[in-house]
């Protein structure tokens, strides 16, 4: 179970309603890692699942001594479950993957091999094909990535949350202590040298995705507002455009008035009122998004709360060196 260098790999698995998938996915991961072979630990985070996920984890922990786990006190969302996992992980390299089988464990040897070659701190599995998704989700993801790339300046098309991070990268990630975390964006933000491994997204093993449309939209808004203040400047910019327009239109109206031919029609007034009204509301909304972010951060609440834990946090090599 150990390699020559005594390097420890941590595999972090955030789980939400994965009771039915976990055993098979974990077995596959263990099999793959033992075949390489490497020394590893599993860090499983139950993101407040309402089903039997925690029971499944408890059972797994009895069979796998290298498994440590935590149950969050409620559903905090995948991003925070990941943060909890990264904080718990003790490995020299940490691999983050989904617990639903959509991140194939067969990719682990390639990722580990690439990391061992040295020189890179982050190895990302890139989706060459997004798998079977609804049209809505494809269009949604497509337009989000387009906007995000433009606004934040980081390329993220095809990026997934299946990544290997070196200890250096994990520590850098954990040093960003905002409450509103966005794993994909923040791992891009921290920089470091990186390599890519392509993969095709297989079908979910069972159960259903824990991401509702609402959660996805919220992630998109958080993702954009967390990485760019451009929307705020756009409000100013559109204000300036309105101002120029109002000068031209004002001068035109005044000229007509002086010539004794005032602009006719109520329709123009109503249209202008509606236009300006909606514009103001949207602008307030945009400011509100940033204000809410400041409020969230300033409260300085803990990112997540842990209800239960399994396993002690000492590096497994301690006793068998
Ligand atoms: N997940 C989580 N908390 C949530 C939603 C999802 O920890 O609130 C986990 C889930 O168990 C899985 C991973 O995040 O391991 C990816 O979730 P899912 O498969 O539902 O997302 P999709 O693959 O559809 O993007
Ligand atoms: Mg999935």
């Amino acid at each position: 179970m150990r390699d020559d260098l005594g390097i420890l790999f941590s595999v972090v698995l955030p789980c939400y309603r994965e009771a039915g998938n976990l055993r098979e996915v974990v077995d596959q991961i263990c099999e793959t890692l033992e075949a390489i072979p490497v020394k590893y630990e599993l860090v499983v985070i139950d993101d407040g699942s309402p089903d039997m996920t925690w029971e499944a984890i408890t059972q797994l922990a009895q069979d796998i001594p290298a498994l440590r786990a935590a149950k969050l006190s409620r559903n905090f969302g995948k991003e925070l479950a990941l943060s909890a996992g990264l904080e718990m992980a003790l490995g020299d390299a940490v691999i983050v993957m989904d617990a639903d089988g959509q991140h194939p464990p067969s990719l682990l040897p390639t990722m580990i091999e690439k990391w061992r070659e040295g020189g890179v701190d982050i190895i990302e599995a890139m989706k060459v094909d997004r798998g079977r998704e609804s049209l809505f989700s494809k269009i949604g993801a497509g337009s989000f990535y387009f906007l995000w790339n433009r606004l934040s300046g980081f390329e993220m098309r095809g990026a997934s949350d299946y990544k290997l991070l070196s200890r250096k990268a994990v520590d850098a990630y954990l040093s960003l202590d905002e409450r509103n975390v966005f794993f994909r964006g923040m791992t891009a933000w921290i920089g470091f040298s990186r390599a890519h491994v392509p993969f095709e997204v297989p079908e979910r093993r069972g159960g259903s995705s824990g991401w509702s449309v609402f959660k996805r939209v919220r992630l998109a808004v958080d993702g954009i507002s967390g990485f760019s203040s451009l929307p705020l400047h756009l409000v100013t910019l559109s204000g300036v455009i309105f101002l120029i327009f109002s000068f031209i239109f004002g001068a035109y109206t005044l000229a007509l008035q002086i010539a004794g031919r005032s602009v006719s029609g109520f329709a123009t007034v109503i249209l202008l009122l509606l236009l300006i009204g909606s514009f103001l509301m949207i602008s307030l909304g945009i400011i509100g998004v940033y204000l809410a972010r400041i409020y969230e951060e300033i409260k300085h609440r803990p990112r997540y709360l842990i209800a239960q834990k399994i396993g002690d946090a000492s590096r497994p090599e301690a006793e068998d060196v």
Side-chain angles (χ1 to χ4, degrees):
M1 251 224 337
R2 53 179 303 142
D3 73 7
D4 319 336
L5 299 166
I7 287 171
L8 178 69
F9 289 87
S10 302
V11 178
V12 172
L13 294 160
C15 305
Y16 182 62
R17 297 191 313 195
E18 303 288 6
N21 305 325
L22 206 57
R23 158 86 46 183
E24 212 169 326
V25 173
V26 165
D27 280 350
Q28 259 189 37
I29 294 172
C30 292
E31 241 169 65
T32 315
L33 291 176
E34 268 154 35
I36 299 179
V38 289
K39 187 154 63 94
Y40 65 92
E41 62 159 2
L42 297 171
V43 178
V44 187
I45 307 293
D46 175 9
D47 187 11
S49 309
D51 66 353
M52 303 289 281
T53 303
W54 184 246
E55 283 72 14
I57 297 173
T58 321
Q59 284 215 328
L60 275 172
Q62 283 166 4
D63 305 338
I64 308 170
L67 187 147
R68 288 188 296 125
K71 178 184 169 67
L72 303 189
S73 63
R74 63 170 171 84
N75 180 233
F76 280 89
K78 179 184 178 185
E79 308 299 310
L80 290 174
L82 275 180
S83 296
L86 287 172
E87 273 174 41
M88 270 176 76
L90 298 167
D92 302 288
V94 180
I95 298 157
V96 168
M97 59 197 290
D98 283 2
D100 61 352
Q102 287 194 301
H103 290 165
S106 53
L107 217 63
L108 290 171
T110 326
M111 289 172 93
I112 289 175
E113 184 56 35
K114 265 219 154 73
W115 183 72
R116 277 185 170 157
E117 283 168 15
V120 281
D121 283 296
I122 301 179
I123 292 154
E124 303 176 287
M126 301 289 277
K127 299 175 190 168
V128 281
D129 168 29
R130 289 189 59 90
R132 256 194 36 208
E133 270 183 324
S134 66
L135 187 67
F136 176 78
S137 147
K138 274 206 167 92
I139 295 176
S143 38
F144 168 68
Y145 284 137
F146 178 79
L147 257 179
W148 204 83
N149 291 347
R150 290 295 138 100
L151 293 180
S152 72
F154 297 112
E155 178 59 56
M156 218 169 49
R157 206 169 297 269
S160 73
D161 285 347
Y162 191 4
K163 293 186 202 300
L164 181 150
L165 310 180
S166 70
R167 175 50 44 194
K168 207 163 39 164
V170 173
D171 288 344
Y173 183 85
L174 292 177
S175 73
L176 312 181
D177 76 343
E178 57 228 71
R179 263 100 276 279
N180 239 314
V181 288
F182 178 39
F183 182 68
R184 237 169 275 187
M186 280 159 62
T187 44
W189 186 92
I190 57 171
F192 293 111
S193 47
R194 49 192 69 225
H196 302 289
V197 179
F199 82 108
E200 282 190 22
V201 183
E203 286 281 307
R204 213 170 201 291
R205 201 163 268 285
S208 60
S209 171
W211 287 92
S212 59
V213 174
F214 178 68
K215 269 189 183 172
R216 278 177 210 271
V217 171
R218 210 170 63 182
L219 183 68
V221 171
D222 281 351
I224 289 171
S225 60
F227 283 84
S228 168
S229 54
L230 195 72
L232 284 174
H233 302 303
L234 284 183
V235 171
T236 320
L237 185 72
S238 358
V240 171
I241 293 171
F242 259 90
L243 186 70
I244 295 170
F245 175 74
S246 63
F247 271 131
I248 298 169
F249 199 67
Y252 171 69
T253 317
L254 213 63
L256 284 183
Q257 183 78 26
I258 291 165
R261 290 185 292 128
S262 55
V263 186
S264 66
F266 228 38
T268 328
V269 178
I270 290 174
L271 277 178
L272 270 177
L273 266 179
L274 288 177
L275 196 72
I276 294 170
S278 342
F279 176 73
L280 280 179
M281 290 295 196
I282 293 172
S283 305
L284 276 179
I286 293 176
I287 298 170
V289 167
Y290 287 89
L291 197 69
R293 272 194 86 97
I294 299 173
Y295 178 56
E296 291 292 328
E297 298 295 335
I298 213 105
K299 277 191 288 190
H300 233 82
R301 286 189 181 162
R303 284 175 173 173
Y304 56 83
L305 293 169
I306 290 179
Q308 282 183 61
K309 265 190 170 181
I310 301 177
D312 64 338
S314 60
R315 276 181 68 116
E317 95 231 81
E319 73 263 15
D320 59 30
V321 168

